[in-house]
Amino acid sequence: MLRTQTSRPSLGNALLRLRCASALAVVAATSAFGSTAHAAGTLAGTNIENIATASYDAGAGPVDIQSNTAIILVDELLDVTVVSSNPGDVGTTNGATNAVLTYQVTNNGNGPEVFTLTPNVANSGDDFDPALSQVVLDTNNNGVYDAGLDTTYVAGTNDPLLTPDQSINVFVLTNIPATQANGDRANVSLVAAANTGTGTPGTSFAGAGEGGGNAVVGTSGADGEASGFLRVDAASVVLAKSAVVADPFGGTTAVPGSTITYTIVATISGAGSLNNLAINDPIPTGTTYVPASLTLEGAAQTDAVDADAGNFNGTRVSVSLGNVPAGQTRTVTFQVTIQ
Amino acid sequence: MKHMNAALLALATAVPAMSAPVELASDVFVEREHKRADGTVATVLEAPKLVVPGDQLVFVVRYKNVGTQPASNFIVTNPIPRAVAFSGTMDGTEVVSVDGGKSWGVMAQLKVVKPDGSFRQALPADVTHLKWNMNQTLAAGSAGKLVFRGVVR
């Protein structure tokens, strides 16, 4: 339907040359099969022609004869595979938009074929279903989703045409719900189906093949499917606060004049990081903040709002920790005296 | 020149020698396995209505001496179609070529040049031509067939 077969020299002529030309160039074995070096096999629409020749002597000198030509038209095999290009889970975050999963669709048939792509975000056996944003074809074929450059796929409008052995990268973009737990996974699958038809292997579509032959469903069923997985990386923080009392007499009694050293340890767990994390702690009633006693990770902080992370505004201490990766801790200390 | 000589010669000789008294016919079938109801598998030859890469083909070359004279030095040659990977013959009496018909031999004696210039043992899929040298005279009225198999590349 798309390709015209290229003509080639007839076998009869080739034979004649073989027989009468003793100086015929050697046909290298490696080049003899050059026209059929497709993983997908002989191209659909190719005629396989067989002619036998014979020679004999019936008393009047050698005679050469030739058989009829037995011809077989190679039909179109419909086969496609889809594989995920992401070796493992793709990390994403709560509320993320256009999380990208990548798939490779390959025409394993022996004729050019158009494929319909169908994403599925609602697979069972996973933790959540992201919302489908769009399916995108890797127009510039660099394996990376380029927003605005690669073409959005619309089923029935720009179904990709793949020649035998040709592949195309397909991106499935989804949006992540806002409140998934750390480690939650989503299975997003992509199906590619031959537009000529699908079915159990061996199903044939008369006359629908490339080059005028039939189309036959191959071992893949003429449709392929693969899953990619998204994993939500959500970090969380736990604050642990402890106090050590030192009285004016060298003991640990909480009396007026005693100093209390508070230690706040922020432990970030989960995966990913927490952004713009800040710790605020009001000074307890009945106590007075000890000026310039605030520390972060053992480093003294001034009380003013300035370049360092900590400040005291008269009623509370505040420390800006910035973006903290999961698995780390931050320790803040400050002192008050009991009134 | 050769053809003209043959034509002149034909005028002067007897009628039976004029027409080719040996007929040669080529046929091709697809070999398929069908499961019988009892679970056994039957291999049948079908007309090639549906052929895709990987299918097994069976080529049959029939010959018959339809003349009145015996035919000696009877040799049958069959180039393997490019899209077919030769896999074997039924009788094994053939010689093969893996270089387009330049040199001939039994499979075990033939070598193929690899891209790096070294040699390797020839494999059935390397075969480009088949040839049967019949050592007996084909008597008038006698017939036979030669069968070889291949796989659609």
Side-chain angles (χ1 to χ4, degrees), chain A residues 1 76 78 80 112-118 153 155-161 192-198 205 208 215 222-223:
Chain A
M1 51 190 164
E76 181 175 354
L78 302 171
V80 60
E113 185 63 30
V114 178
F115 295 94
T116 297
L117 308 174
T118 310
Y153 169 74
T157 300
N158 59 347
D159 295 339
L161 165 69
N195 280 13
T196 299
T198 60
F205 303 97
D223 59 1

Short mmCIF file of all heavy atoms in Angstrom, two decimals, chain A residues 1 76 78 80 112-118 153 155-161 192-198 205 208 215 222-223:
data_model
loop_
_atom_site.label_atom_id
_atom_site.label_comp_id
_atom_site.label_asym_id
_atom_site.label_seq_id
_atom_site.Cartn_x
_atom_site.Cartn_y
_atom_site.Cartn_z
N MET A 1 0.81 -1.20 0.00
CA MET A 1 0.00 0.00 0.00
C MET A 1 0.85 1.26 0.00
O MET A 1 0.37 2.32 -0.36
CB MET A 1 -0.92 0.00 1.22
CG MET A 1 -0.20 -0.26 2.51
SD MET A 1 -1.34 -0.53 3.87
CE MET A 1 -0.25 -1.27 5.06
N GLU A 76 2.61 -9.84 4.52
CA GLU A 76 3.06 -8.92 5.58
C GLU A 76 2.79 -9.52 6.95
O GLU A 76 1.68 -9.90 7.29
CB GLU A 76 2.34 -7.57 5.48
CG GLU A 76 2.83 -6.59 6.56
CD GLU A 76 2.23 -5.20 6.44
OE1 GLU A 76 1.51 -4.94 5.47
OE2 GLU A 76 2.49 -4.39 7.35
N LEU A 78 2.56 -8.91 10.84
CA LEU A 78 2.27 -7.79 11.75
C LEU A 78 2.83 -8.13 13.12
O LEU A 78 2.34 -9.03 13.80
CB LEU A 78 0.75 -7.57 11.84
CG LEU A 78 0.02 -7.29 10.53
CD1 LEU A 78 -1.48 -7.31 10.75
CD2 LEU A 78 0.46 -5.95 9.95
N VAL A 80 4.84 -6.18 16.66
CA VAL A 80 5.29 -4.95 17.30
C VAL A 80 5.69 -5.27 18.73
O VAL A 80 5.12 -6.16 19.36
CB VAL A 80 4.17 -3.87 17.27
CG1 VAL A 80 2.93 -4.34 17.99
CG2 VAL A 80 4.66 -2.55 17.86
N PRO A 112 5.92 -1.75 6.17
CA PRO A 112 5.62 -0.50 6.88
C PRO A 112 4.22 -0.58 7.48
O PRO A 112 3.31 -1.11 6.84
CB PRO A 112 5.70 0.57 5.79
CG PRO A 112 5.67 -0.16 4.50
CD PRO A 112 6.09 -1.57 4.73
N GLU A 113 4.09 -0.12 8.70
CA GLU A 113 2.81 -0.28 9.39
C GLU A 113 2.56 0.94 10.28
O GLU A 113 3.48 1.53 10.82
CB GLU A 113 2.85 -1.57 10.23
CG GLU A 113 1.56 -1.93 10.92
CD GLU A 113 0.41 -2.23 9.94
OE1 GLU A 113 0.68 -2.69 8.83
OE2 GLU A 113 -0.74 -1.97 10.31
N VAL A 114 1.28 1.28 10.41
CA VAL A 114 0.86 2.39 11.25
C VAL A 114 0.33 1.81 12.55
O VAL A 114 -0.39 0.81 12.54
CB VAL A 114 -0.22 3.24 10.54
CG1 VAL A 114 -0.69 4.36 11.44
CG2 VAL A 114 0.32 3.79 9.23
N PHE A 115 0.69 2.43 13.67
CA PHE A 115 0.30 1.89 14.98
C PHE A 115 -0.50 2.90 15.78
O PHE A 115 -0.19 4.10 15.78
CB PHE A 115 1.55 1.48 15.77
CG PHE A 115 2.31 0.36 15.13
CD1 PHE A 115 3.37 0.63 14.28
CD2 PHE A 115 1.95 -0.96 15.37
CE1 PHE A 115 4.06 -0.41 13.66
CE2 PHE A 115 2.64 -2.00 14.76
CZ PHE A 115 3.70 -1.72 13.91
N THR A 116 -1.51 2.40 16.47
CA THR A 116 -2.29 3.21 17.39
C THR A 116 -1.72 3.03 18.79
O THR A 116 -1.46 1.90 19.22
CB THR A 116 -3.77 2.79 17.38
OG1 THR A 116 -4.30 3.01 16.08
CG2 THR A 116 -4.57 3.59 18.39
N LEU A 117 -1.52 4.14 19.51
CA LEU A 117 -0.94 4.10 20.85
C LEU A 117 -2.03 4.38 21.88
O LEU A 117 -2.80 5.32 21.73
CB LEU A 117 0.16 5.15 20.98
CG LEU A 117 1.25 5.11 19.89
CD1 LEU A 117 2.19 6.28 20.05
CD2 LEU A 117 2.01 3.80 19.96
N THR A 118 -2.08 3.54 22.92
CA THR A 118 -3.09 3.72 23.96
C THR A 118 -2.44 3.64 25.33
O THR A 118 -1.96 2.58 25.72
CB THR A 118 -4.17 2.62 23.85
OG1 THR A 118 -4.64 2.57 22.51
CG2 THR A 118 -5.32 2.92 24.80
N TYR A 153 0.72 13.44 20.68
CA TYR A 153 0.07 12.37 19.91
C TYR A 153 -1.44 12.46 20.07
O TYR A 153 -1.95 12.59 21.18
CB TYR A 153 0.57 11.01 20.40
CG TYR A 153 -0.22 9.84 19.87
CD1 TYR A 153 -0.09 9.43 18.54
CD2 TYR A 153 -1.12 9.16 20.68
CE1 TYR A 153 -0.81 8.36 18.05
CE2 TYR A 153 -1.85 8.08 20.20
CZ TYR A 153 -1.68 7.69 18.88
OH TYR A 153 -2.41 6.63 18.41
N ALA A 155 -4.59 10.11 18.86
CA ALA A 155 -4.96 8.84 18.22
C ALA A 155 -5.83 9.10 17.00
O ALA A 155 -6.76 9.89 17.04
CB ALA A 155 -5.70 7.96 19.22
N GLY A 156 -5.48 8.41 15.91
CA GLY A 156 -6.26 8.54 14.69
C GLY A 156 -5.84 9.72 13.83
O GLY A 156 -6.27 9.82 12.68
N THR A 157 -5.03 10.59 14.38
CA THR A 157 -4.60 11.79 13.64
C THR A 157 -3.14 11.70 13.22
O THR A 157 -2.81 11.90 12.06
CB THR A 157 -4.81 13.05 14.51
OG1 THR A 157 -6.19 13.14 14.83
CG2 THR A 157 -4.38 14.30 13.74
N ASN A 158 -2.28 11.38 14.18
CA ASN A 158 -0.86 11.25 13.82
C ASN A 158 -0.29 9.94 14.35
O ASN A 158 0.79 9.91 14.94
CB ASN A 158 -0.05 12.46 14.30
CG ASN A 158 -0.12 12.65 15.80
OD1 ASN A 158 -0.97 12.05 16.47
ND2 ASN A 158 0.76 13.47 16.35
N ASP A 159 -1.05 8.84 14.11
CA ASP A 159 -0.54 7.51 14.45
C ASP A 159 0.80 7.31 13.73
O ASP A 159 0.89 7.54 12.52
CB ASP A 159 -1.52 6.43 13.99
CG ASP A 159 -2.84 6.49 14.74
OD1 ASP A 159 -2.85 7.07 15.85
OD2 ASP A 159 -3.85 5.98 14.23
N PRO A 160 1.84 6.89 14.45
CA PRO A 160 3.16 6.80 13.80
C PRO A 160 3.24 5.66 12.78
O PRO A 160 2.75 4.56 13.02
CB PRO A 160 4.11 6.56 14.98
CG PRO A 160 3.25 6.00 16.06
CD PRO A 160 1.89 6.59 15.89
N LEU A 161 3.87 5.96 11.65
CA LEU A 161 4.17 4.96 10.61
C LEU A 161 5.61 4.50 10.82
O LEU A 161 6.52 5.32 10.84
CB LEU A 161 4.02 5.59 9.22
CG LEU A 161 4.63 4.79 8.05
CD1 LEU A 161 3.84 3.51 7.81
CD2 LEU A 161 4.67 5.63 6.79
N ALA A 192 0.74 -0.51 21.90
CA ALA A 192 0.82 -0.14 20.49
C ALA A 192 0.18 -1.27 19.69
O ALA A 192 0.53 -2.44 19.88
CB ALA A 192 2.28 0.06 20.05
N ALA A 193 -0.77 -0.93 18.83
CA ALA A 193 -1.50 -1.95 18.06
C ALA A 193 -1.44 -1.61 16.58
O ALA A 193 -1.62 -0.46 16.19
CB ALA A 193 -2.95 -2.02 18.53
N ALA A 194 -1.17 -2.64 15.76
CA ALA A 194 -1.11 -2.44 14.31
C ALA A 194 -2.48 -2.02 13.80
O ALA A 194 -3.49 -2.64 14.12
CB ALA A 194 -0.66 -3.73 13.62
N ASN A 195 -2.50 -0.96 12.99
CA ASN A 195 -3.79 -0.48 12.48
C ASN A 195 -4.41 -1.45 11.48
O ASN A 195 -5.63 -1.47 11.32
CB ASN A 195 -3.62 0.90 11.84
CG ASN A 195 -3.58 2.01 12.88
OD1 ASN A 195 -3.43 1.73 14.08
ND2 ASN A 195 -3.72 3.25 12.44
N THR A 196 -3.57 -2.25 10.81
CA THR A 196 -4.13 -3.22 9.87
C THR A 196 -5.00 -4.23 10.60
O THR A 196 -6.01 -4.68 10.08
CB THR A 196 -3.00 -3.94 9.10
OG1 THR A 196 -2.27 -2.97 8.37
CG2 THR A 196 -3.56 -4.98 8.16
N GLY A 197 -4.62 -4.58 11.82
CA GLY A 197 -5.42 -5.50 12.60
C GLY A 197 -4.59 -6.22 13.64
O GLY A 197 -3.37 -6.29 13.53
N THR A 198 -5.27 -6.71 14.65
CA THR A 198 -4.61 -7.49 15.70
C THR A 198 -5.41 -8.76 15.90
O THR A 198 -6.47 -8.94 15.32
CB THR A 198 -4.55 -6.71 17.03
OG1 THR A 198 -5.89 -6.42 17.43
CG2 THR A 198 -3.78 -5.40 16.88
N PHE A 205 -5.48 -11.15 7.33
CA PHE A 205 -6.37 -10.14 6.75
C PHE A 205 -6.11 -10.14 5.25
O PHE A 205 -5.07 -9.65 4.79
CB PHE A 205 -6.10 -8.77 7.37
CG PHE A 205 -6.24 -8.76 8.88
CD1 PHE A 205 -5.11 -8.89 9.69
CD2 PHE A 205 -7.48 -8.66 9.47
CE1 PHE A 205 -5.24 -8.91 11.07
CE2 PHE A 205 -7.61 -8.67 10.85
CZ PHE A 205 -6.50 -8.80 11.66
N ALA A 208 -4.72 -7.23 2.77
CA ALA A 208 -4.40 -6.03 3.55
C ALA A 208 -2.90 -5.83 3.72
O ALA A 208 -2.47 -4.88 4.36
CB ALA A 208 -5.07 -6.10 4.92
N ALA A 215 -2.06 -9.80 5.14
CA ALA A 215 -1.39 -9.43 6.38
C ALA A 215 -1.67 -10.53 7.39
O ALA A 215 -2.80 -11.01 7.49
CB ALA A 215 -1.90 -8.09 6.90
N ALA A 222 0.28 -8.74 17.11
CA ALA A 222 0.24 -7.44 16.42
C ALA A 222 -0.04 -6.28 17.36
O ALA A 222 -0.34 -5.17 16.94
CB ALA A 222 -0.75 -7.44 15.25
N ASP A 223 0.01 -6.55 18.67
CA ASP A 223 0.02 -5.44 19.61
C ASP A 223 1.02 -5.74 20.72
O ASP A 223 1.28 -6.88 21.06
CB ASP A 223 -1.38 -5.11 20.16
CG ASP A 223 -2.01 -6.28 20.87
OD1 ASP A 223 -1.37 -7.34 20.96
OD2 ASP A 223 -3.15 -6.14 21.34
#
